Amino acid sequence: MVVATPSVTWNGPRSAYVHIPFCSHHCGYCNFTVIAGRGDLIENYLRALRCELAELKFPRPVDTLFLGGGTPTQLNKNELRSLLELTLTWFPLTEGGEFSVEANPADVETEKIDLLVAWGVNRISLGAQSFQSHKLKTLERDHDAAKIHQAVELASSRIASVSLDLIFGLPNESLTDWSRDLQAALALRPNHLSTYGLTYEKGTHFWSRQQRGQIQQLSEEAEREMFELAINHLTAAGLEHYEISNFARPNHRCRHNEAYWSGAEYYAAGAGASRFVNGLRETNHRSVVNYLRLVLSGKSPVAQREQLAPEDAAREQLVFGLRRLAGVDRNDFHRKTGFTIEALIEAPLDTFLKLGLLEWVQNRLRLTREGLMVSDSLWPAFL
Amino acid sequence: MDCQQIRNFSIIAHIDHGKSTLADRLLEGTGAVEKREMKDQLLDDMELERERGITIKARAVAIRHRLDGKTYELNLIDTPGHVDFHYEVSRSLTCCEGALLLVDAFQGVEAQTVANAYAAMENNLTIIPVMNKIDLNHARPVEVAEEVEQALAIPTDEIVKVSAKTGFGIDELLRAIIDHIPAPQGRPEAPLQAMVFDSHYDEYRGAITYVRIMNGTVQRGQKIRFLRGGTVHEVHEIGQFVPGPRPTEQLAAGQVGYLICNIKSLDLVHIGDTVSVPGDLGVEALAGYQEPQRMVYCGLYPSDGQDFEELRDALNKLAINDPSFEFEPETSDALGFGFRCGFLGLLHMEIVQQRLEQESDVDLVQTAPNVTYEVVLKTGEVLQIHKPQEVPDVGDIEEFRHPIAKVSIVVPSEYIGPVMKLCQERRGNQLNTEYLSPLRAMLTYEMPLAEVIYDLHDKLKSASRGYGTMNYEFVAYRPEDLIRLDILVNGNRVDALAIICDRTDADRRGRAVVTKLKKEIERHMFEVAVQAAIGSRVIARETVPALRKNVTAKCYGGDITRKRKLWAKQREGKKRMKSIGQVDIPQKAFMAVLDKGSDKS
């Protein structure tokens, strides 16, 4: 049997991500690459970033830039300025580009906002998580509802796009709790909202407490109710549900994240950061100390590396594309990957269509509401 | 070697009574093996045997021993200790004149001690009773000697006391072997007549045939003929295991050894066949062996249908060195193409399965084991039923019969109560209770074999704190009111889940199976109904509710690889399941039908 292997031409990344792992406190649910209470490492970290980025040899213009964490705003003004300067030196933002920064509401102050604006930041993502003190306490957050209000007010006046993160499905959380959070968030008229069902990730305090039976995960039914409430509430308020966890007002989708989901390439720097360049996926060491040690001694910080074969890349792109509510365009997909959707997933596709978990809308394959709720059960059949 | 200086013997014992250790000590005591060359349990050369501490295949080792100025050849033919391998024990016994009956000085007489001793007596062997582990602090030699006398009518003063561990008593034992076990009879000058008692296949040398020379002499380079097989071969090598193979020029009457004849297939070597010379010299074929009785059948299927041929090759390879195992292709609606395999018992089944897993890459789905039933049709025809799917329509059945086993259980008296209760639950019919000593009794029951094979041994162990031992043998097929219980998953009858059971037991079994299946089947994106039915009548139902929410919230740059790998791993897991309708049924679920619903765990 002779099968033509589709060849993929990689066009080079148009996005970049820089990770800042510092936090004042490591929250019990968080499994990101973070390091708490080690402000003393910031200077070295910036040095390390400088070294890592220098490997790029020449500046790479990008259309989207994302400073995530951790908490980038944990840096003081001088440090923040160095970071912005360094980032833009290696990743100059093209005209009309999107520059996002993640921020903790407790850190948002006029001078830092001024600084961000001065360096071209035009999107800020605030880790609000909740407006209710009991939820914030469970989540071990150091801010309150008033602080979120102030932060949004301050940011909205200067930054074009403001996004809020919310978490639902805490142990003992009621549907009313969640409904209140959604309303409080909508009252602030953000351009973008991300709602995340709480998960218990291995290595977090929440996970070990759950293992020991000290906290109990909410029932699946209750979690689903909350998720559906969010979708119904937010779409009714005029936000578009454009990815599993993401909602946006028109023209306020996060273009950087959309690049991830569409299978595009991206640069990355910093501890635990992942890049995808020329079909090669690399992830840096998660341990900040290791990362520093490696980079500052002239070694590569890459911990994992894998080259995706064209078919694997196509399958991956299909899965992550389908997590977008718009779904995947049949012709686009074929053109970009060289594979047809039907050829890749013939049998499961048929099954899932019959079960009403997927649907064709004209030329686009997409998840139905039911499919979205159980989508993780679909993906194994696709990969 | 003069026959008068040869002794052929086996060691028979209950499992764990120290048979392999004693064999090691005998080899060492005679200088056959240097102490430093000793690995523990020399004779158990299969990795699996060593792992499980069970000797599976009979092996023969020739030992030179000097006593009172004479050199003797002692041929130790090793035998397995577990009840499933009783067949192999009897194979070894026909090549011996004597047997060491090994009894643990603490454990005493156990069920298989009795069974093995009877087998030796039936073969007219001279029995030397040996009490092992005499060095143990808690040894109770006086009581155990009484048990031996009571259970087997062997006088206590004949018992040789040893410690295979320390070597105590080994010299005395060697003397007893030479003094008491008769020398083999047979004439070296007579025409060749040798018993094939085992064989195995060596990748480089071809078939290795184990023989006991009854009469005559066999020499390197000569031609031999298998009387039953009818084939003629030239002998390339003759030798004995000492314990490694050592070639010799000839083997004569009374001796035990191996033949290598450049035989490229074990199909040509029939165990129990007689070796003689070509041409008609009037040598009679020896009595041979009974076909091993397969007691347990199960289906083995490749998880991935593509692996069918590979599985066939693997089974073939196994069957080559294990004639007691048989298999034939079968088809299941649910599982596709696979094989129905017959085993001597559950342990045998487990071992075969483990070997398959170790020696091939095929992922297996195993159906629940079942015994063989007999159905008498209205037409008078008698069918052997090896799997529930073969049960004909009720209307065609004149009589449905199940196999009955005689079970002997040896247990300390304090556990007689719980053990009797267990046996009654298993529909046992008590035949006899015999006190071996004031402290220990042997209970004998007749019981449906189906109740015996699945887990009676485990249950006996827990009912008697590990002290109870058992042995069983098939007695007869008897009529019973049996039915086939079908299991349906989302309305689809799953043939591989069907069971045969007693009509009065159907409700309980049906409920137990659907409850268990509900636990084993993961939730799907839709509801899954699990039903038990007799014909079209549903007698039990459980529902596996549909998944309501299963969705990853955060999925950004760094999550993509991790998630893809996780989902790809889940896909691999799914591959190992069988998809029926659209329901993925894990392998373990096919064993769910063993859940009898009687246990209060």
Side-chain angles (χ1 to χ4, degrees):
Chain A
M1 191 169 64
V2 180
V3 177
T5 308
S7 65
V8 182
T9 23
W10 301 102
N11 299 318
R14 300 296 301 169
S15 298
Y17 176 83
V18 176
H19 190 77
I20 308 299
F22 302 100
C23 277
S24 54
H25 172 72
H26 190 164
C27 303
Y29 61 91
C30 175
N31 76 327
F32 279 29
T33 299
V34 299
I35 186 162
R38 289 301 303 270
D40 57 305
L41 294 177
I42 292 176
E43 201 184 315
N44 271 341
Y45 191 80
L46 291 174
R47 272 211 301 139
L49 279 181
R50 201 174 300 275
C51 295
E52 192 190 0
L53 288 168
E55 293 294 315
L56 290 169
K57 310 285 191 231
F58 53 89
R60 314 289 175 129
V62 293
D63 301 325
T64 75
L65 194 48
F66 200 108
L67 295 185
T71 319
T73 51
Q74 179 80 15
L75 273 54
N76 69 31
K77 273 173 290 169
N78 286 333
E79 292 160 348
L80 196 53
R81 185 179 299 111
S82 303
L83 172 68
L84 291 162
E85 182 182 7
L86 174 65
T87 306
L88 287 168
T89 302
W90 290 104
F91 301 122
L93 197 63
T94 54
E95 185 69 33
E98 175 192 275
F99 190 175
S100 298
V101 173
E102 285 185 337
N104 179 5
D107 299 334
V108 174
E109 46 180 84
T110 315
E111 288 177 16
K112 278 189 189 168
I113 293 289
D114 285 345
L115 192 61
L116 294 176
V117 171
W119 287 89
V121 171
N122 52 22
R123 184 173 183 278
I124 188 163
S125 173
L126 291 167
Q129 319 310 3
S130 174
F131 291 83
Q132 296 170 82
S133 53
H134 68 275
K135 276 182 71 177
L136 288 167
K137 193 174 163 219
T138 305
L139 293 169
E140 304 169 20
R141 301 297 298 196
D142 58 357
H143 61 264
D144 55 17
K147 194 69 219 171
I148 303 172
H149 282 265
Q150 286 166 26
V152 173
E153 207 166 307
L154 195 59
S156 302
S157 62
R158 314 284 310 278
I159 296 177
S161 203
V162 176
S163 176
L164 295 180
D165 284 0
L166 295 177
I167 296 183
F168 67 88
L170 273 56
N172 298 321
E173 181 174 357
S174 69
L175 200 59
T176 318
D177 285 333
W178 178 229
S179 175
R180 282 199 188 116
D181 271 343
L182 289 168
Q183 275 163 25
L186 284 171
L188 293 174
R189 305 203 48 75
N191 313 102
H192 188 280
L193 265 168
S194 302
T195 63
Y196 300 116
L198 178 69
T199 51
Y200 298 79
E201 304 287 344
K202 216 170 172 174
T204 64
H205 280 161
F206 272 39
W207 188 81
S208 40
R209 282 165 64 198
Q210 187 206 21
Q211 292 293 302
R212 289 197 296 265
Q214 292 164 347
I215 46 175
Q216 247 200 327
Q217 190 174 348
L218 219 51
S219 76
E220 193 179 302
E221 195 59 48
E223 282 184 3
R224 175 171 168 139
E225 247 183 305
M226 288 183 180
F227 192 14
E228 293 205 291
L229 182 77
I231 298 171
N232 296 339
H233 238 62
L234 299 179
T235 51
L239 283 99
E240 182 201 12
H241 185 198
Y242 73 102
E243 192 260 359
I244 301 257
S245 302
N246 288 284
F247 301 82
R249 296 202 185 281
N251 303 318
H252 284 282
R253 291 185 186 182
C254 178
R255 287 158 56 195
H256 182 81
N257 287 340
E258 290 221 292
Y260 292 145
W261 302 325
S262 61
E265 297 167 87
Y266 46 93
Y267 297 110
S274 287
R275 68 187 64 79
F276 184 44
V277 182
N278 230 336
L280 180 68
R281 179 113 51 208
E282 293 181 332
T283 304
N284 287 351
H285 270 278
R286 275 176 69 97
S287 150
V288 175
V289 177
N290 264 346
Y291 169 80
L292 289 177
R293 187 174 47 76
L294 288 166
V295 178
L296 293 178
S297 63
K299 296 193 182 102
S300 163
V302 173
Q304 286 171 351
R305 190 176 272 130
E306 66 171 340
Q307 181 76 47
L308 286 183
E311 184 177 330
D312 292 333
R315 290 179 181 279
E316 180 184 293
Q317 199 168 317
L318 183 56
V319 167
F320 293 94
L322 282 171
R323 285 177 53 92
R324 293 200 288 172
L325 276 281
V328 175
D329 183 275
R330 177 187 260 144
N331 301 324
D332 267 2
F333 184 80
H334 186 214
R335 192 165 37 75
K336 276 166 73 179
T337 67
F339 291 90
T340 63
I341 295 177
E342 288 88 342
L344 281 181
I345 55 162
E346 191 186 356
L349 176 61
D350 200 45
T351 305
F352 295 142
L353 287 169
K354 280 195 186 119
L355 287 169
L357 302 171
L358 286 176
E359 61 186 357
W360 283 109
V361 177
Q362 277 128 30
N363 261 330
R364 300 188 79 84
L365 181 67
R366 65 179 203 191
L367 288 170
T368 62
R369 170 68 71 89
E370 194 54 43
L372 186 147
M373 289 293 156
V374 297
S375 50
D376 278 10
S377 299
L378 273 61
W379 310 139
F382 284 38
L383 290 169
Chain B
M1 176 68 58
D2 182 351
C3 268
Q4 288 312 307
Q5 264 124 276
I6 297 174
R7 300 292 180 272
N8 295 321
F9 66 100
S10 287
I11 309 176
I12 52 179
H14 190 81
I15 193 162
D16 281 343
H17 280 200
K19 186 160 56 69
S20 296
T21 316
L22 178 63
D24 291 351
R25 214 52 67 225
L26 288 173
L27 295 183
E28 202 185 87
T30 59
V33 192
E34 291 287 322
K35 247 199 171 114
R36 59 189 157 76
E37 289 175 28
M38 290 290 296
K39 273 190 277 176
D40 275 349
Q41 307 193 350
L42 264 177
L43 293 184
D44 298 353
D45 68 352
M46 277 189 268
E47 197 184 323
L48 198 66
E49 291 182 1
R50 222 174 269 277
E51 232 172 62
R52 301 184 66 128
I54 301 167
T55 311
I56 299 158
K57 239 168 157 28
R59 289 283 185 274
V61 180
I63 304 166
R64 293 283 157 137
H65 185 57
R66 276 191 76 79
L67 188 74
D68 302 337
K70 283 189 205 159
T71 301
Y72 292 88
E73 178 178 306
L74 311 180
N75 292 304
L76 165 56
I77 300 172
D78 199 31
T79 64
H82 192 275
V83 54
D84 278 2
F85 299 102
H86 196 70
Y87 155 79
E88 303 240 357
V89 175
S90 60
R91 251 164 50 183
S92 309
L93 295 183
T94 53
C95 295
C96 300
E97 281 75 38
L100 310 186
L101 177 67
L102 191 62
V103 182
D104 182 302
F106 170 65
Q107 313 266 355
V109 170
E110 303 281 26
Q112 283 152 45
T113 318
V114 178
N116 285 329
Y118 284 160
M121 290 171 188
E122 276 163 27
N123 281 286
N124 292 319
L125 302 194
T126 299
I127 293 177
I128 299 180
V130 182
M131 195 185 296
N132 189 23
K133 307 193 190 177
I134 200 74
D135 58 312
L136 290 183
N137 284 334
H138 50 281
R140 38 184 202 98
V142 177
E143 288 101 314
V144 170
E146 276 169 15
E147 286 174 21
V148 171
E149 185 164 11
Q150 173 72 26
L152 304 165
I154 295 173
T156 49
D157 58 359
E158 286 180 13
I159 295 173
V160 184
K161 293 182 178 125
V162 305
S163 165
K165 201 171 120 204
T166 66
F168 171 86
I170 298 301
D171 288 341
E172 194 197 337
L173 178 58
L174 285 164
R175 180 175 288 278
I177 291 169
I178 289 164
D179 287 350
H180 299 313
I181 294 177
Q185 294 180 342
R187 293 174 302 121
E189 65 284 3
L192 179 63
Q193 186 190 40
M195 175 75 160
V196 177
F197 69 89
D198 204 351
S199 67
H200 86 259
Y201 195 81
D202 181 277
E203 243 181 276
Y204 304 103
R205 312 296 310 271
I208 316 268
T209 309
Y210 293 72
V211 290
R212 153 77 197 267
I213 315 291
M214 297 299 181
N215 276 300
T217 303
V218 60
Q219 280 170 330
R220 192 160 64 88
Q222 82 167 74
K223 292 239 194 290
I224 54 143
R225 182 163 67 102
F226 288 114
L227 292 191
R228 204 154 310 149
T231 54
V232 173
H233 307 274
E234 189 183 313
V235 179
H236 286 212
E237 184 179 318
I238 316 177
Q240 290 182 310
F241 288 92
V242 291
R246 185 181 62 193
T248 56
E249 282 305 307
Q250 64 168 38
L251 286 175
Q255 285 189 297
V256 174
Y258 65 87
L259 304 177
I260 297 175
C261 305
N262 197 23
I263 299 173
K264 287 302 174 203
S265 162
L266 272 192
D267 290 345
L268 298 175
V269 182
H270 302 279
I271 290 163
D273 202 347
T274 306
V275 179
S276 190
V277 289
D280 187 11
L281 278 171
V283 171
E284 272 182 42
L286 297 158
Y289 296 109
Q290 275 183 351
E291 265 284 293
Q293 215 162 24
R294 283 135 205 136
M295 301 280 220
V296 180
Y297 283 78
C298 80
L300 288 179
Y301 290 79
S303 289
D304 184 343
Q306 308 263 318
D307 294 339
F308 178 79
E309 285 303 328
E310 208 178 314
L311 178 57
R312 185 204 295 276
D313 290 348
L315 290 171
N316 263 323
K317 233 168 113 188
L318 267 179
I320 276 177
N321 280 323
D322 184 355
S324 52
F325 162 64
E326 67 168 17
F327 65 98
E328 59 177 44
E330 73 167 0
T331 325
S332 148
D333 301 339
L335 301 176
F337 292 101
F339 298 92
R340 175 97 333 209
C341 304
F343 307 92
L344 300 173
L346 272 201
L347 177 76
H348 186 212
M349 183 176 86
E350 256 176 61
I351 286 170
V352 167
Q353 225 193 330
Q354 268 194 25
R355 259 188 225 165
L356 275 176
E357 271 162 24
Q358 279 173 13
E359 288 163 23
S360 75
D361 272 340
V362 183
D363 240 322
L364 292 176
V365 175
Q366 189 210 321
T367 65
N370 61 264
V371 298
T372 303
Y373 294 85
E374 263 185 16
V375 164
V376 184
L377 296 177
K378 292 252 155 81
T379 61
E381 196 190 340
V382 180
L383 301 179
Q384 294 268 318
I385 305 289
H386 292 309
K387 54 179 173 177
Q389 298 95 295
E390 291 171 345
V391 175
D393 283 344
V394 185
D396 296 336
I397 300 177
E398 177 68 30
E399 194 170 86
F400 208 149
R401 299 169 178 162
H402 66 164
I404 301 291
K406 188 167 120 185
V407 183
S408 313
I409 294 173
V410 174
V411 69
S413 345
E414 60 200 287
Y415 301 113
I416 288 180
V419 169
M420 283 175 69
K421 185 164 168 281
L422 172 67
C423 291
Q424 272 154 23
E425 276 171 14
R426 296 295 164 99
R427 300 158 202 275
N429 200 353
Q430 194 170 4
L431 300 179
N432 192 20
T433 306
E434 183 185 355
Y435 278 85
L436 303 179
S437 74
L439 292 175
R440 288 155 60 79
M442 183 154 94
L443 312 178
T444 313
Y445 279 86
E446 274 191 356
M447 203 181 280
L449 182 61
E451 299 278 357
V452 180
I453 58 159
Y454 302 137
D455 62 350
L456 185 67
H457 189 248
D458 292 345
K459 298 289 172 202
L460 169 66
K461 287 285 174 195
S462 46
S464 64
R465 298 215 179 173
Y467 290 118
T469 57
M470 60 174 268
N471 192 67
Y472 65 87
E473 57 185 310
F474 169 72
V475 178
Y477 283 100
R478 296 216 184 114
E480 181 65 83
D481 189 10
L482 300 165
I483 49 106
R484 188 185 72 204
L485 187 63
D486 289 325
I487 303 297
L488 294 86
V489 173
N490 267 5
N492 300 309
R493 208 183 75 165
V494 185
D495 51 7
L497 284 173
I499 45 177
I500 294 169
C501 72
D502 207 290
R503 188 183 301 278
T504 56
D505 208 19
D507 276 5
R508 184 170 60 97
R509 287 290 297 274
R511 262 197 306 278
V513 172
V514 296
T515 308
K516 181 81 178 191
L517 281 174
K518 181 186 172 170
K519 276 190 215 144
E520 296 290 351
I521 296 175
E522 276 180 33
R523 289 190 303 152
H524 283 62
M525 290 161 280
F526 44 85
E527 195 175 274
V528 176
V530 186
Q531 297 165 301
I534 303 171
S536 58
R537 187 167 61 91
V538 173
I539 58 167
R541 179 194 161 112
E542 284 286 349
T543 305
V544 184
L547 264 176
R548 295 289 288 154
K549 178 173 175 283
N550 182 25
V551 48
T552 296
K554 286 202 180 201
C555 219
Y556 302 108
D559 305 308
I560 290 178
T561 303
R562 201 161 47 87
K563 285 294 172 191
R564 178 167 51 75
K565 284 186 176 159
L566 175 77
W567 290 325
K569 210 169 125 194
Q570 288 173 3
R571 175 204 55 197
E572 289 308 309
K574 268 186 195 296
K575 261 197 190 166
R576 281 195 291 277
M577 298 191 208
K578 278 292 171 183
S579 194
I580 287 156
Q582 279 158 5
V583 183
D584 294 323
I585 303 187
Q587 286 187 33
K588 260 170 80 192
F590 289 96
M591 301 298 276
V593 298
L594 293 183
D595 217 309
K596 305 203 141 196
S598 60
D599 309 321
K600 286 153 198 81
S601 56

